[in-house]
Amino acid sequence: MRHWWLVPVVLMAVILLTSVQTAEPDESTQALRTSEPVTKALATVTSTAISPLVGVSVMGAWHYFRIAKEQRSQLPFFDRPYFWIPTMVLLLLIFIKDTFGGFAPLIKKPLDAIEVLLVNHASLVLIVLPIVMNQVARVMGYTSLKALFAAELGGPVIYAATMQTSGVHHAFSVVTAVLYTVVGLVIAGVVWLLGHCFDVLALLSPFPFVDFVLKAIRNVIFAILLATSIISPHLGLLLSLAVIIVSFLLFGWALRLSFFGALFAWSLLEMLLLDIKEKPSREQGVRAFSSGLKNVKRRTYGKLSPREDGSLEFRYRRMLVGPAKAVVVGRGNSFSVARGVFYPTVVEPIESANKNRVVFRLLPTYRGVEEEVRECLNFATVEDLRWRKGLRSFWKFVTEDDAEAPGKA
């Protein structure tokens, strides 16, 4: 997990090696030997994946008005006005939410949760994945994805060579297309995950200007990638590789944060819109995310439950599907449950410093039942920390991780 940066390097090396053939090159193989299609495809996929809505709006309009009118009918669906104009309208609504919505946080937070749960995941499926497939077709030397499928599924083509040579060429072309597709989807997914974390952090932040700054940073990254790829394709390639390597470096951190964001967003909608409160149970445990637990990665999802000897136990599974693990946290009466603005936390009082150390974060559906949580887990007290920590607490939540990769990046 500490060498994620090697993955994109290996993937790019495999791409370059597979682009060389010993047979006589035809038009499609010649396109593979050229670095320009790969460079443009990589820059397009990376910039779109980091910010899909902005990417499809800007690049779709750019491609549409740049091409001749008689050729616009050949553009893919995401480059046509009926797709990118509604996307621009959606972007405008999101901008209004992130700016003026700060005056009505009880309305803004559910909208932030919907953006994290629905809008971002829909953009991955409807925008990022089709763009990856379309770029694969262009790198292979075809004008559209439909032309690529027609050529690859239509069987071997007889050139001025034997049937055996034609069959070998067709098999190599199919394998290359599959390889490009797999590599493109992996890169797009990892980069999208990092871009998605900007929205998760915006959801978790109680400060409106932090929302705006986080999304502005992401859009600046997109603008730099797009501008450099247009001005200098090779510089755009270097910057795209830098973003990809950083994305792989932060993959573990981003994956845990995105899962935390998805569960948090769903729980927040249940709490704010449906007024659902989750009753703690000694048998089922209390759902929580680790925050300051030794030898356990931050934002690891599990359940807290009391033991017969009065100690507190945290049970979790690695990557949610691995073997179950149990960690004894300490005596239950040495912890307290703290009320928060949107969700409670489990804290350990530090009397010598007159402060509290956050050990676990609970879901928003536990907000309002803090006393029941205290009784269930045998905690000492219920404290009110809703307005005590502020921006410093949010910054620590973002930056303090058990891995060194985010700091290095």
Side-chain angles (χ1 to χ4, degrees):
M1 293 293 289
R2 296 182 182 274
H3 300 284
W4 277 111
W5 63 274
L6 292 175
V7 178
V9 175
V10 173
L11 293 179
M12 293 304 300
V14 171
I15 287 180
L16 294 177
L17 289 175
T18 55
S19 64
V20 179
Q21 286 194 51
T22 56
E24 288 295 324
D26 63 343
E27 185 177 352
S28 62
T29 8
Q30 187 64 34
L32 286 174
R33 289 191 175 187
T34 307
S35 62
E36 185 176 358
V38 176
T39 300
K40 289 183 177 179
L42 193 63
T44 300
V45 169
T46 305
S47 57
T48 305
I50 198 72
S51 185
L53 295 179
V54 176
V56 76
S57 299
V58 174
M59 299 178 70
W62 168 266
H63 293 153
Y64 181 80
F65 290 109
R66 194 164 174 261
I67 199 172
K69 291 184 178 180
E70 57 273 11
Q71 297 179 347
R72 289 177 178 173
S73 60
Q74 302 177 3
L75 289 173
F77 73 92
F78 48 80
D79 282 342
R80 300 194 184 188
Y82 65 77
F83 191 87
W84 50 260
I85 288 180
T87 305
M88 287 183 175
V89 174
L90 179 60
L91 275 175
L92 179 61
L93 296 176
I94 292 176
F95 175 78
I96 295 174
K97 169 185 69 72
D98 293 336
T99 51
F100 300 101
F103 297 101
L106 292 181
I107 298 178
K108 179 180 180 299
K109 283 303 175 182
L111 295 177
D112 288 340
I114 292 173
E115 182 180 359
V116 169
L117 281 176
L118 298 179
V119 176
N120 285 7
H121 291 85
S123 66
L124 173 65
V125 176
L126 299 178
I127 296 176
V128 178
L129 299 186
I131 286 180
V132 170
M133 300 298 293
N134 185 72
Q135 291 302 315
V136 169
R138 292 183 179 276
V139 171
M140 293 293 296
Y142 299 96
T143 58
S144 65
L145 185 61
K146 182 178 179 180
L148 172 63
F149 283 149
E152 302 303 336
L153 300 178
V157 182
I158 302 178
Y159 300 98
T162 64
M163 176 63 74
Q164 181 180 5
T165 302
S166 176
V168 170
H169 168 77
H170 179 73
F172 180 85
S173 181
V174 172
V175 171
T176 304
V178 172
L179 179 63
Y180 274 130
T181 302
V182 172
V183 172
L185 293 177
V186 170
I187 290 176
V190 173
V191 175
W192 173 87
L193 190 66
L194 180 62
H196 173 65
C197 286
F198 284 86
D199 289 318
V200 174
L201 293 175
L203 168 67
L204 300 176
S205 169
F207 302 96
F209 75 91
V210 175
D211 301 22
F212 184 79
V213 170
L214 287 171
K215 295 186 179 183
I217 292 174
R218 183 181 61 185
N219 292 334
V220 167
I221 296 174
F222 162 79
I224 293 175
L225 287 174
L226 180 61
T228 51
S229 64
I230 294 175
I231 298 173
S232 174
H234 296 292
L235 179 59
L237 175 63
L238 291 177
L239 292 180
S240 298
L241 287 176
V243 172
I244 293 171
I245 291 175
V246 170
S247 300
F248 274 92
L249 276 172
L250 301 180
F251 177 75
W253 173 83
L255 185 62
R256 293 193 302 274
L257 181 60
S258 63
F259 178 77
F260 175 84
L263 205 55
F264 181 90
W266 180 256
S267 180
L268 186 67
L269 290 175
E270 288 182 326
M271 185 265 291
L272 292 178
L273 300 183
L274 304 177
D275 196 27
I276 294 178
K277 298 186 185 299
E278 190 166 349
K279 297 297 182 181
S281 168
R282 289 178 177 269
E283 294 75 20
Q284 299 296 326
V286 175
R287 297 190 294 166
F289 287 87
S290 64
S291 181
L293 199 60
K294 188 177 179 180
N295 298 327
V296 177
K297 292 181 181 295
R298 290 179 179 269
R299 287 172 288 280
T300 297
Y301 174 70
K303 293 184 178 181
L304 289 168
S305 59
R307 302 179 65 178
E308 294 182 358
D309 59 359
S311 60
L312 185 66
E313 183 182 71
F314 181 61
R315 290 175 282 110
Y316 67 97
R317 294 179 181 272
R318 186 173 178 83
M319 300 297 290
L320 303 177
V321 294
K325 295 184 178 181
V327 177
V328 177
V329 181
R331 302 291 298 180
N333 55 15
S334 64
F335 298 95
S336 298
V337 58
R339 296 186 180 95
V341 178
F342 291 106
Y343 60 93
T345 56
V346 175
V347 299
E348 183 181 18
I350 304 176
E351 296 181 359
S352 59
N354 193 23
K355 62 180 183 180
N356 297 279
R357 183 175 69 93
V358 177
V359 185
F360 293 98
R361 300 179 189 275
L362 307 184
L363 292 172
T365 44
Y366 289 109
R367 183 176 180 269
V369 294
E370 290 86 355
E371 185 62 35
E372 288 86 342
V373 172
R374 185 197 67 79
E375 294 178 359
C376 174
L377 301 179
N378 300 324
F379 286 164
T381 59
V382 175
E383 299 188 22
D384 194 340
L385 302 180
R386 279 176 286 191
W387 307 108
R388 204 179 296 178
K389 291 181 176 295
L391 182 59
R392 183 179 178 183
S393 175
F394 174 70
W395 178 249
K396 289 175 66 177
F397 170 75
V398 175
T399 57
E400 286 188 1
D401 206 340
D402 50 336
E404 297 179 356
K408 292 180 180 179

